[in-house]
Amino acid sequence: IEETDKENFKNQSDPEMPSTLREAFRLFLIESAIIGYEYEGKERKRKKLELTSMMVHADRLIEVNNIYLRWLRSYNKNIFRDLKNNEEECLEDFRNAYLKVEVKLKDYFTSFPSFNEVIDKVTYWVLEELSFWFVAGKESNEVDWSSDGHHVLIGGQKLDRGFTVKNLIVTYMPRSTKS
């Protein structure tokens, strides 16, 4: 996934969610659906995970992390609505993510689940069992791993100081481009 110009981003009053973050979130949802659920008639070659996590290591500044959290919560709501309404643009974005994940995880099953099977799991299971956690600042930021099956952690320095992220499958780390 491409680099993001964070210095320019910090100077914007209302920056737009990077397309790379949207792509990373879709990959996380698809991978969670494949890794975390059973599919009828599909024999699993690898053990199913009961829990999956995504880490968004945005910035050391709390206000920047808050923007990422706001983006992801909003995008999550939009995805949920669009998938339930079979919005073609959203489905096409997920088809593209599915094709990338299929190549990566094809060895998980003897017969890989179809796009429609996976997108049903995303819509009716993954999105329903998803929690967002803000891991920044001086608070304890305990993650209740048992609260849901899928977790997105957003934060900065706390995430690089020995913080354990269970079953991490996607990491998003925007970095400044320096000349």
Side-chain angles (χ1 to χ4, degrees):
I1 296 185
E2 302 165 12
E3 288 186 349
T4 302
D5 184 353
K6 283 193 344 186
E7 294 308 313
N8 185 38
F9 159 83
K10 290 177 190 174
N11 296 325
Q12 296 177 28
S13 60
D14 189 20
E16 183 179 324
M17 181 178 181
S19 61
T20 55
L21 181 57
R22 288 192 299 270
E23 180 183 359
F25 188 61
R26 287 189 302 268
L27 290 169
F28 169 69
L29 296 174
I30 294 283
E31 287 186 32
S32 293
I34 291 167
I35 292 170
Y37 297 94
E38 299 295 339
Y39 291 86
E40 190 174 322
K42 310 290 186 204
E43 186 180 332
R44 193 174 271 287
K45 291 171 119 176
R46 294 194 182 184
K47 184 181 170 199
K48 172 179 101 153
L49 293 179
E50 300 297 326
L51 179 138
T52 60
S53 297
M54 174 181 182
M55 179 176 73
V56 179
H57 190 286
D59 196 89
R60 63 180 177 76
L61 300 175
I62 290 174
E63 59 267 19
V64 173
N65 290 310
N66 274 322
I67 291 169
Y68 277 80
L69 178 62
R70 187 182 75 233
W71 279 337
L72 284 166
R73 283 186 169 154
S74 175
Y75 189 53
N76 183 58
K77 287 179 187 172
N78 291 342
I79 285 173
F80 189 70
R81 179 199 64 227
D82 291 350
L83 288 177
K84 289 219 177 209
N85 292 328
N86 290 314
E87 294 289 336
E88 192 52 45
E89 184 178 344
C90 182
L91 288 169
E92 189 60 32
D93 288 340
F94 272 94
R95 269 189 209 92
N96 292 332
Y98 168 84
L99 294 172
K100 289 178 183 179
V101 173
E102 183 181 24
V103 170
K104 179 179 171 186
L105 301 180
K106 65 183 176 202
D107 293 336
Y108 273 69
F109 293 91
T110 54
S111 174
F112 203 76
S114 71
F115 171 74
N116 288 335
E117 290 173 308
V118 172
I119 208 66
D120 280 349
K121 297 287 188 200
V122 169
T123 306
Y124 298 105
W125 292 95
V126 177
L127 290 171
E128 296 279 351
E129 298 177 359
L130 181 64
S131 290
F132 293 90
W133 302 92
F134 190 70
V135 184
K138 296 186 187 322
E139 295 84 36
S140 81
N141 304 119
E142 287 294 318
V143 174
D144 181 2
W145 298 107
S146 64
S147 66
D148 277 308
H150 312 288
H151 303 269
V152 178
L153 287 74
I154 298 103
Q157 290 177 323
K158 273 194 174 181
L159 290 175
D160 40 314
R161 301 262 190 264
F163 193 94
T164 301
V165 180
K166 293 185 178 182
N167 295 343
L168 179 64
I169 61 171
V170 172
T171 301
Y172 182 83
M173 299 177 75
R175 293 295 174 248
S176 298
T177 54
K178 302 279 185 191
S179 300

